[in-house]
Amino acid sequence: MPIRDARPEDAPAIRVLLEQAFGGEQEARLVDELRRDGDLAVAQVSEHDGLTLGYIALCRMTSPARSLALAPAAQGRGTGSALVRAALTRARGLDCPIVFVVGEGTYYSRFGFTPEAAAPFPCQYAGPHFLALRLAPDPIPPESVGYAPCLRQAWLMSP
């Protein structure tokens, strides 16, 4: 299944996909804000016969330096693993030292994400669902994880 960089004309299809995957508009609005603010480092779609079947994004973080967060993702028809692998390949090409995700460890561990890799980085989401994947062998100072401003704001407003 082809995976390619998302284009501006994909925005309506991505919005519908995210609304269906997450049962509402919140994730779709976040993607719109991340795009508007320039905080999407990677945005990719999977498609088949012209239909958008999956979406993944890597968002810039304010700290640690050059780090990215995997979010949001909407997968369908078996495209999830391929999208994650494609996004991580792009992250390596961007000289990203570490990628963070808040998610299910049994799913993300297949890509190398672990809570142990995330543990040195203070974060309000610390725990078994706060995972990281180190992409660079160089030491990364254990500073607090800083998410893009619109993500921080959205999470503050969440119940």
Side-chain angles (χ1 to χ4, degrees):
M1 190 163 308
I3 295 174
R4 63 169 174 78
D5 287 344
R7 299 183 292 245
E9 61 267 23
D10 295 321
I14 290 169
R15 175 171 270 286
V16 169
L17 186 67
L18 291 169
E19 288 174 355
Q20 290 173 347
F22 293 99
E25 292 185 341
Q26 182 177 1
E27 295 292 331
R29 279 196 310 265
L30 282 174
V31 168
D32 291 342
E33 290 177 36
L34 289 164
R35 187 182 309 112
R36 179 199 68 215
D37 294 349
D39 287 326
L40 289 178
V42 174
Q44 296 180 305
V45 296
S46 60
E47 60 182 6
H48 181 69
D49 290 336
L51 295 174
T52 301
L53 301 178
Y55 174 78
I56 195 161
L58 292 173
C59 309
R60 289 182 180 83
M61 300 181 72
T62 59
S63 61
R66 299 182 337 272
S67 63
L68 299 171
L70 194 156
Q75 307 125 38
R77 300 187 187 167
T79 66
S81 292
L83 282 164
V84 172
R85 285 187 187 94
L88 293 174
T89 296
R90 288 290 304 281
R92 286 179 181 91
L94 294 172
D95 197 29
C96 170
I98 191 165
V99 177
F100 294 94
V101 66
V102 177
E104 182 55 50
T106 55
Y107 178 77
Y108 288 105
S109 66
R110 72 180 80 177
F111 308 105
F113 285 90
T114 65
E116 293 79 18
F121 302 92
C123 179
Q124 69 188 75
Y125 305 107
H129 296 288
F130 180 58
L131 313 167
L133 172 63
R134 298 220 21 177
L135 301 178
D138 300 331
I140 303 168
E143 59 185 299
S144 293
V145 170
Y147 286 94
C150 73
L151 288 175
R152 288 193 311 263
Q153 184 63 30
W155 290 336
L156 285 173
M157 304 302 284
S158 296

